[in-house]
Amino acid sequence: MNAFQYDALQIKEQARLIRRNVIRLNADSPAGGHTGADLSESDILATLYFRILNTDPERTEDPERDIYIQSKGHGVGGLYCCLAQAGYIPEEWLATYQHFNSHLPGHPVRQKTPGIELNTGALGHGLPVAVGLALAAKMSGSKKRIYVLTGDGELAEGSNWEAAMAAAKYGLDNLFVIVDKNKLQLAGLTADIMPLDPLDVKWAAFGFSVSECDGNDVAQLIESLEAMQSRTGAPQVLIAHTIKGKGVSFIEARPEWHHRVPKGDEIIAALEELSHGE
């Protein structure tokens, strides 16, 4: 059971606060950040940490806690902001993002940051490790669940599909993959760089039970993720259709914001847009 159990409106507010901190965090970073990816995933992270995951800041070493793996490690800025909101790390740490000897490096590092379960950054690594963890949990009789967030562009890495085959072979219904399908990667459209569609058909062909939703709609995320928990016999994937840069109009769906951060008047404008809920 998640310690928060927030409703959709409460989670939406947490996502707004995460986005505000994303703007500040990236603007203050000496090494930049991945603003677009941080913003697209904010609703997903807020839903997981404030309702879905069976874990909390006091149980980070509990062997029966649910495990969350951020496979799209470049989006760690959004994860740090979520961990601060949920009480895993002090909020004052956010101002040190990517500074020398910070607890918050540019990609997730388990040895540096409370609440981080796996060092990621090289794309395509998170899902294979998640499959191993899910298989180990099955073999040991554990009821814990393994959640992993991938980017859509990340699925061009073949290691994901090798892992998917193994997950289906072993019937890992304790494995939950969430694809942040924001339709952009690096400097362009995912459909132009390496087409994925029909993505639902691909996952189904690899033996997954497939769900889809608007990944920036908290109510849909809650409904989809909770429904997935009751299904058995196969690994689960949720294709979450998102907008890269969601929440800030001049960042939304703009490929140049993959690795760009707001400066000057852009910071003020972004924070103003995020100053209140919709």
Side-chain angles (χ1 to χ4, degrees), residues 59-95:
R59 297 168 52 217
T60 57
E61 299 301 323
D62 181 354
E64 288 301 305
R65 73 192 183 281
D66 286 349
I67 302 294
Y68 170 75
I69 293 175
Q70 176 99 2
S71 190
K72 47 173 285 185
H74 59 284
V76 75
L79 178 56
Y80 289 150
C81 294
C82 182
L83 290 175
Q85 289 289 122
Y88 287 81
I89 61 175
E91 191 161 347
E92 54 265 28
W93 281 10
L94 298 180

mmCIF file of all heavy atoms in Angstrom, residues 59-95:
data_model
loop_
_atom_site.group_PDB
_atom_site.id
_atom_site.type_symbol
_atom_site.label_atom_id
_atom_site.label_comp_id
_atom_site.label_asym_id
_atom_site.label_seq_id
_atom_site.Cartn_x
_atom_site.Cartn_y
_atom_site.Cartn_z
ATOM 1 N N ARG A 59 10.807 2.978 3.882
ATOM 2 C CA ARG A 59 10.918 1.551 3.553
ATOM 3 C C ARG A 59 11.814 1.313 2.354
ATOM 4 O O ARG A 59 11.617 0.366 1.591
ATOM 5 C CB ARG A 59 9.531 0.979 3.280
ATOM 6 C CG ARG A 59 8.590 1.035 4.481
ATOM 7 C CD ARG A 59 7.156 0.728 4.063
ATOM 8 N NE ARG A 59 7.094 -0.523 3.299
ATOM 9 C CZ ARG A 59 6.279 -0.716 2.263
ATOM 10 N NH1 ARG A 59 5.499 0.267 1.832
ATOM 11 N NH2 ARG A 59 6.255 -1.874 1.644
ATOM 12 N N THR A 60 12.824 2.142 2.172
ATOM 13 C CA THR A 60 13.678 2.006 0.992
ATOM 14 C C THR A 60 14.538 0.753 1.011
ATOM 15 O O THR A 60 15.120 0.392 -0.019
ATOM 16 C CB THR A 60 14.583 3.245 0.829
ATOM 17 O OG1 THR A 60 15.366 3.408 2.020
ATOM 18 C CG2 THR A 60 13.762 4.503 0.579
ATOM 19 N N GLU A 61 14.637 0.084 2.164
ATOM 20 C CA GLU A 61 15.382 -1.171 2.237
ATOM 21 C C GLU A 61 14.466 -2.365 2.505
ATOM 22 O O GLU A 61 14.939 -3.483 2.717
ATOM 23 C CB GLU A 61 16.458 -1.087 3.331
ATOM 24 C CG GLU A 61 17.494 0.008 3.105
ATOM 25 C CD GLU A 61 18.245 -0.165 1.792
ATOM 26 O OE1 GLU A 61 18.534 -1.317 1.412
ATOM 27 O OE2 GLU A 61 18.527 0.868 1.132
ATOM 28 N N ASP A 62 13.163 -2.150 2.529
ATOM 29 C CA ASP A 62 12.207 -3.232 2.747
ATOM 30 C C ASP A 62 12.277 -4.201 1.560
ATOM 31 O O ASP A 62 12.036 -3.810 0.418
ATOM 32 C CB ASP A 62 10.800 -2.647 2.870
ATOM 33 C CG ASP A 62 9.729 -3.701 3.115
ATOM 34 O OD1 ASP A 62 10.041 -4.911 3.083
ATOM 35 O OD2 ASP A 62 8.566 -3.303 3.331
ATOM 36 N N PRO A 63 12.602 -5.483 1.795
ATOM 37 C CA PRO A 63 12.718 -6.412 0.668
ATOM 38 C C PRO A 63 11.406 -6.643 -0.075
ATOM 39 O O PRO A 63 11.426 -7.136 -1.211
ATOM 40 C CB PRO A 63 13.217 -7.704 1.324
ATOM 41 C CG PRO A 63 12.850 -7.591 2.760
ATOM 42 C CD PRO A 63 12.918 -6.126 3.080
ATOM 43 N N GLU A 64 10.274 -6.267 0.537
ATOM 44 C CA GLU A 64 8.988 -6.463 -0.116
ATOM 45 C C GLU A 64 8.445 -5.185 -0.760
ATOM 46 O O GLU A 64 7.300 -5.162 -1.220
ATOM 47 C CB GLU A 64 7.973 -7.013 0.888
ATOM 48 C CG GLU A 64 8.226 -8.466 1.258
ATOM 49 C CD GLU A 64 8.200 -9.387 0.042
ATOM 50 O OE1 GLU A 64 7.190 -9.388 -0.690
ATOM 51 O OE2 GLU A 64 9.201 -10.089 -0.197
ATOM 52 N N ARG A 65 9.245 -4.132 -0.791
ATOM 53 C CA ARG A 65 8.789 -2.893 -1.430
ATOM 54 C C ARG A 65 8.704 -3.102 -2.939
ATOM 55 O O ARG A 65 9.433 -3.916 -3.528
ATOM 56 C CB ARG A 65 9.764 -1.750 -1.145
ATOM 57 C CG ARG A 65 11.089 -1.857 -1.910
ATOM 58 C CD ARG A 65 12.131 -0.899 -1.401
ATOM 59 N NE ARG A 65 13.370 -0.966 -2.182
ATOM 60 C CZ ARG A 65 14.299 -1.907 -2.036
ATOM 61 N NH1 ARG A 65 14.132 -2.876 -1.161
ATOM 62 N NH2 ARG A 65 15.399 -1.889 -2.784
ATOM 63 N N ASP A 66 7.811 -2.359 -3.587
ATOM 64 C CA ASP A 66 7.819 -2.297 -5.043
ATOM 65 C C ASP A 66 9.084 -1.584 -5.502
ATOM 66 O O ASP A 66 9.601 -0.690 -4.812
ATOM 67 C CB ASP A 66 6.595 -1.539 -5.564
ATOM 68 C CG ASP A 66 5.301 -2.335 -5.454
ATOM 69 O OD1 ASP A 66 5.359 -3.540 -5.170
ATOM 70 O OD2 ASP A 66 4.226 -1.723 -5.652
ATOM 71 N N ILE A 67 9.557 -1.954 -6.680
ATOM 72 C CA ILE A 67 10.764 -1.364 -7.246
ATOM 73 C C ILE A 67 10.391 -0.507 -8.455
ATOM 74 O O ILE A 67 9.660 -0.969 -9.342
ATOM 75 C CB ILE A 67 11.762 -2.453 -7.691
ATOM 76 C CG1 ILE A 67 12.152 -3.368 -6.521
ATOM 77 C CG2 ILE A 67 13.002 -1.824 -8.327
ATOM 78 C CD1 ILE A 67 12.939 -2.689 -5.433
ATOM 79 N N TYR A 68 10.892 0.729 -8.475
ATOM 80 C CA TYR A 68 10.716 1.589 -9.648
ATOM 81 C C TYR A 68 12.078 1.838 -10.283
ATOM 82 O O TYR A 68 13.021 2.264 -9.606
ATOM 83 C CB TYR A 68 10.087 2.934 -9.279
ATOM 84 C CG TYR A 68 10.136 3.902 -10.445
ATOM 85 C CD1 TYR A 68 9.266 3.751 -11.522
ATOM 86 C CD2 TYR A 68 11.088 4.925 -10.498
ATOM 87 C CE1 TYR A 68 9.336 4.604 -12.619
ATOM 88 C CE2 TYR A 68 11.154 5.780 -11.584
ATOM 89 C CZ TYR A 68 10.278 5.618 -12.638
ATOM 90 O OH TYR A 68 10.355 6.450 -13.731
ATOM 91 N N ILE A 69 12.169 1.594 -11.589
ATOM 92 C CA ILE A 69 13.411 1.822 -12.336
ATOM 93 C C ILE A 69 13.170 2.858 -13.417
ATOM 94 O O ILE A 69 12.265 2.710 -14.255
ATOM 95 C CB ILE A 69 13.926 0.513 -12.968
ATOM 96 C CG1 ILE A 69 14.375 -0.453 -11.867
ATOM 97 C CG2 ILE A 69 15.063 0.784 -13.949
ATOM 98 C CD1 ILE A 69 14.777 -1.813 -12.370
ATOM 99 N N GLN A 70 13.985 3.910 -13.400
ATOM 100 C CA GLN A 70 13.914 4.975 -14.403
ATOM 101 C C GLN A 70 14.884 4.601 -15.522
ATOM 102 O O GLN A 70 16.054 4.956 -15.505
ATOM 103 C CB GLN A 70 14.315 6.317 -13.770
ATOM 104 C CG GLN A 70 14.362 7.472 -14.735
ATOM 105 C CD GLN A 70 13.128 8.341 -14.699
ATOM 106 O OE1 GLN A 70 12.214 8.111 -13.924
ATOM 107 N NE2 GLN A 70 13.098 9.345 -15.543
ATOM 108 N N SER A 71 14.382 3.847 -16.507
ATOM 109 C CA SER A 71 15.267 3.424 -17.595
ATOM 110 C C SER A 71 15.678 4.611 -18.459
ATOM 111 O O SER A 71 16.816 4.681 -18.922
ATOM 112 C CB SER A 71 14.595 2.347 -18.450
ATOM 113 O OG SER A 71 15.522 1.773 -19.350
ATOM 114 N N LYS A 72 14.746 5.562 -18.680
ATOM 115 C CA LYS A 72 15.112 6.785 -19.412
ATOM 116 C C LYS A 72 15.855 7.696 -18.432
ATOM 117 O O LYS A 72 15.319 8.684 -17.917
ATOM 118 C CB LYS A 72 13.892 7.458 -20.044
ATOM 119 C CG LYS A 72 12.681 7.634 -19.155
ATOM 120 C CD LYS A 72 11.587 8.454 -19.833
ATOM 121 C CE LYS A 72 11.913 9.925 -19.888
ATOM 122 N NZ LYS A 72 10.839 10.772 -20.418
ATOM 123 N N GLY A 73 17.100 7.327 -18.178
ATOM 124 C CA GLY A 73 17.870 7.975 -17.118
ATOM 125 C C GLY A 73 18.127 9.448 -17.337
ATOM 126 O O GLY A 73 18.340 10.193 -16.370
ATOM 127 N N HIS A 74 18.081 9.908 -18.598
ATOM 128 C CA HIS A 74 18.294 11.334 -18.857
ATOM 129 C C HIS A 74 17.152 12.179 -18.296
ATOM 130 O O HIS A 74 17.307 13.385 -18.119
ATOM 131 C CB HIS A 74 18.451 11.589 -20.360
ATOM 132 C CG HIS A 74 17.268 11.160 -21.168
ATOM 133 N ND1 HIS A 74 17.005 9.840 -21.462
ATOM 134 C CD2 HIS A 74 16.271 11.866 -21.744
ATOM 135 C CE1 HIS A 74 15.907 9.760 -22.178
ATOM 136 N NE2 HIS A 74 15.439 10.978 -22.370
ATOM 137 N N GLY A 75 16.009 11.544 -17.973
ATOM 138 C CA GLY A 75 14.894 12.264 -17.367
ATOM 139 C C GLY A 75 14.949 12.266 -15.851
ATOM 140 O O GLY A 75 13.917 12.416 -15.201
ATOM 141 N N VAL A 76 16.143 12.127 -15.314
ATOM 142 C CA VAL A 76 16.271 12.018 -13.854
ATOM 143 C C VAL A 76 15.906 13.310 -13.134
ATOM 144 O O VAL A 76 15.539 13.285 -11.956
ATOM 145 C CB VAL A 76 17.701 11.570 -13.470
ATOM 146 C CG1 VAL A 76 18.709 12.711 -13.633
ATOM 147 C CG2 VAL A 76 17.740 11.022 -12.056
ATOM 148 N N GLY A 77 15.969 14.444 -13.802
ATOM 149 C CA GLY A 77 15.599 15.702 -13.157
ATOM 150 C C GLY A 77 14.168 15.661 -12.649
ATOM 151 O O GLY A 77 13.876 16.079 -11.527
ATOM 152 N N GLY A 78 13.259 15.150 -13.473
ATOM 153 C CA GLY A 78 11.874 15.016 -13.048
ATOM 154 C C GLY A 78 11.733 14.046 -11.895
ATOM 155 O O GLY A 78 10.943 14.266 -10.965
ATOM 156 N N LEU A 79 12.513 12.969 -11.923
ATOM 157 C CA LEU A 79 12.469 11.991 -10.832
ATOM 158 C C LEU A 79 12.977 12.604 -9.535
ATOM 159 O O LEU A 79 12.380 12.402 -8.468
ATOM 160 C CB LEU A 79 13.290 10.755 -11.190
ATOM 161 C CG LEU A 79 13.374 9.668 -10.118
ATOM 162 C CD1 LEU A 79 11.990 9.191 -9.684
ATOM 163 C CD2 LEU A 79 14.220 8.496 -10.617
ATOM 164 N N TYR A 80 14.067 13.366 -9.592
ATOM 165 C CA TYR A 80 14.566 14.016 -8.370
ATOM 166 C C TYR A 80 13.500 14.934 -7.771
ATOM 167 O O TYR A 80 13.307 14.968 -6.548
ATOM 168 C CB TYR A 80 15.818 14.837 -8.674
ATOM 169 C CG TYR A 80 17.057 14.037 -8.994
ATOM 170 C CD1 TYR A 80 18.030 14.564 -9.851
ATOM 171 C CD2 TYR A 80 17.284 12.783 -8.445
ATOM 172 C CE1 TYR A 80 19.184 13.862 -10.145
ATOM 173 C CE2 TYR A 80 18.435 12.067 -8.742
ATOM 174 C CZ TYR A 80 19.385 12.618 -9.597
ATOM 175 O OH TYR A 80 20.525 11.917 -9.899
ATOM 176 N N CYS A 81 12.834 15.689 -8.627
ATOM 177 C CA CYS A 81 11.806 16.612 -8.127
ATOM 178 C C CYS A 81 10.652 15.852 -7.490
ATOM 179 O O CYS A 81 10.090 16.280 -6.474
ATOM 180 C CB CYS A 81 11.312 17.508 -9.260
ATOM 181 S SG CYS A 81 12.574 18.654 -9.887
ATOM 182 N N CYS A 82 10.310 14.691 -8.066
ATOM 183 C CA CYS A 82 9.262 13.851 -7.489
ATOM 184 C C CYS A 82 9.719 13.260 -6.161
ATOM 185 O O CYS A 82 8.951 13.254 -5.186
ATOM 186 C CB CYS A 82 8.891 12.741 -8.469
ATOM 187 S SG CYS A 82 7.571 11.668 -7.891
ATOM 188 N N LEU A 83 10.952 12.776 -6.097
ATOM 189 C CA LEU A 83 11.468 12.199 -4.848
ATOM 190 C C LEU A 83 11.495 13.243 -3.734
ATOM 191 O O LEU A 83 11.221 12.929 -2.565
ATOM 192 C CB LEU A 83 12.866 11.630 -5.070
ATOM 193 C CG LEU A 83 12.963 10.369 -5.941
ATOM 194 C CD1 LEU A 83 14.425 10.000 -6.182
ATOM 195 C CD2 LEU A 83 12.213 9.194 -5.317
ATOM 196 N N ALA A 84 11.795 14.488 -4.082
ATOM 197 C CA ALA A 84 11.777 15.554 -3.078
ATOM 198 C C ALA A 84 10.351 15.802 -2.595
ATOM 199 O O ALA A 84 10.108 15.947 -1.388
ATOM 200 C CB ALA A 84 12.384 16.837 -3.658
ATOM 201 N N GLN A 85 9.393 15.839 -3.528
ATOM 202 C CA GLN A 85 7.997 16.047 -3.154
ATOM 203 C C GLN A 85 7.494 14.939 -2.229
ATOM 204 O O GLN A 85 6.708 15.181 -1.302
ATOM 205 C CB GLN A 85 7.118 16.069 -4.402
ATOM 206 C CG GLN A 85 7.276 17.284 -5.284
ATOM 207 C CD GLN A 85 6.699 18.538 -4.678
ATOM 208 O OE1 GLN A 85 7.409 19.513 -4.507
ATOM 209 N NE2 GLN A 85 5.441 18.523 -4.338
ATOM 210 N N ALA A 86 7.950 13.714 -2.487
ATOM 211 C CA ALA A 86 7.465 12.559 -1.731
ATOM 212 C C ALA A 86 8.256 12.298 -0.455
ATOM 213 O O ALA A 86 7.938 11.368 0.281
ATOM 214 C CB ALA A 86 7.485 11.310 -2.622
ATOM 215 N N GLY A 87 9.302 13.088 -0.201
ATOM 216 C CA GLY A 87 10.028 12.974 1.053
ATOM 217 C C GLY A 87 11.205 12.017 1.061
ATOM 218 O O GLY A 87 11.756 11.711 2.121
ATOM 219 N N TYR A 88 11.642 11.581 -0.105
ATOM 220 C CA TYR A 88 12.792 10.682 -0.167
ATOM 221 C C TYR A 88 14.114 11.424 -0.016
ATOM 222 O O TYR A 88 15.089 10.874 0.494
ATOM 223 C CB TYR A 88 12.807 9.918 -1.495
ATOM 224 C CG TYR A 88 11.759 8.847 -1.608
ATOM 225 C CD1 TYR A 88 10.438 9.162 -1.958
ATOM 226 C CD2 TYR A 88 12.065 7.507 -1.384
ATOM 227 C CE1 TYR A 88 9.462 8.181 -2.072
ATOM 228 C CE2 TYR A 88 11.107 6.516 -1.491
ATOM 229 C CZ TYR A 88 9.796 6.864 -1.826
ATOM 230 O OH TYR A 88 8.845 5.887 -1.933
ATOM 231 N N ILE A 89 14.147 12.660 -0.502
ATOM 232 C CA ILE A 89 15.353 13.480 -0.419
ATOM 233 C C ILE A 89 14.965 14.880 0.042
ATOM 234 O O ILE A 89 13.818 15.313 -0.178
ATOM 235 C CB ILE A 89 16.101 13.554 -1.780
ATOM 236 C CG1 ILE A 89 15.207 14.195 -2.855
ATOM 237 C CG2 ILE A 89 16.586 12.171 -2.212
ATOM 238 C CD1 ILE A 89 15.928 14.418 -4.184
ATOM 239 N N PRO A 90 15.888 15.611 0.667
ATOM 240 C CA PRO A 90 15.578 17.000 1.063
ATOM 241 C C PRO A 90 15.375 17.885 -0.164
ATOM 242 O O PRO A 90 16.120 17.779 -1.137
ATOM 243 C CB PRO A 90 16.828 17.422 1.842
ATOM 244 C CG PRO A 90 17.549 16.163 2.196
ATOM 245 C CD PRO A 90 17.236 15.188 1.096
ATOM 246 N N GLU A 91 14.390 18.756 -0.107
ATOM 247 C CA GLU A 91 14.126 19.623 -1.251
ATOM 248 C C GLU A 91 15.298 20.553 -1.543
ATOM 249 O O GLU A 91 15.521 20.932 -2.702
ATOM 250 C CB GLU A 91 12.843 20.432 -1.030
ATOM 251 C CG GLU A 91 12.382 21.156 -2.279
ATOM 252 C CD GLU A 91 10.914 21.564 -2.233
ATOM 253 O OE1 GLU A 91 10.187 21.084 -1.360
ATOM 254 O OE2 GLU A 91 10.522 22.371 -3.096
ATOM 255 N N GLU A 92 16.076 20.899 -0.525
ATOM 256 C CA GLU A 92 17.220 21.796 -0.762
ATOM 257 C C GLU A 92 18.295 21.151 -1.639
ATOM 258 O O GLU A 92 19.130 21.851 -2.224
ATOM 259 C CB GLU A 92 17.824 22.276 0.559
ATOM 260 C CG GLU A 92 18.225 21.195 1.534
ATOM 261 C CD GLU A 92 17.143 20.913 2.562
ATOM 262 O OE1 GLU A 92 15.940 21.123 2.245
ATOM 263 O OE2 GLU A 92 17.496 20.493 3.673
ATOM 264 N N TRP A 93 18.281 19.849 -1.749
ATOM 265 C CA TRP A 93 19.241 19.184 -2.631
ATOM 266 C C TRP A 93 19.015 19.555 -4.103
ATOM 267 O O TRP A 93 19.939 19.478 -4.915
ATOM 268 C CB TRP A 93 19.134 17.665 -2.498
ATOM 269 C CG TRP A 93 19.802 17.088 -1.286
ATOM 270 C CD1 TRP A 93 20.319 17.773 -0.219
ATOM 271 C CD2 TRP A 93 20.006 15.701 -1.011
ATOM 272 N NE1 TRP A 93 20.830 16.888 0.705
ATOM 273 C CE2 TRP A 93 20.651 15.617 0.245
ATOM 274 C CE3 TRP A 93 19.707 14.523 -1.693
ATOM 275 C CZ2 TRP A 93 21.012 14.392 0.819
ATOM 276 C CZ3 TRP A 93 20.049 13.304 -1.121
ATOM 277 C CH2 TRP A 93 20.697 13.241 0.115
ATOM 278 N N LEU A 94 17.784 19.922 -4.470
ATOM 279 C CA LEU A 94 17.481 20.194 -5.869
ATOM 280 C C LEU A 94 18.363 21.304 -6.438
ATOM 281 O O LEU A 94 18.716 21.287 -7.619
ATOM 282 C CB LEU A 94 16.000 20.547 -6.041
ATOM 283 C CG LEU A 94 14.998 19.449 -5.644
ATOM 284 C CD1 LEU A 94 13.573 19.943 -5.877
ATOM 285 C CD2 LEU A 94 15.261 18.159 -6.397
ATOM 286 N N ALA A 95 18.733 22.265 -5.607
ATOM 287 C CA ALA A 95 19.585 23.379 -6.057
ATOM 288 C C ALA A 95 21.008 22.924 -6.363
ATOM 289 O O ALA A 95 21.780 23.690 -6.950
ATOM 290 C CB ALA A 95 19.600 24.479 -4.999
#
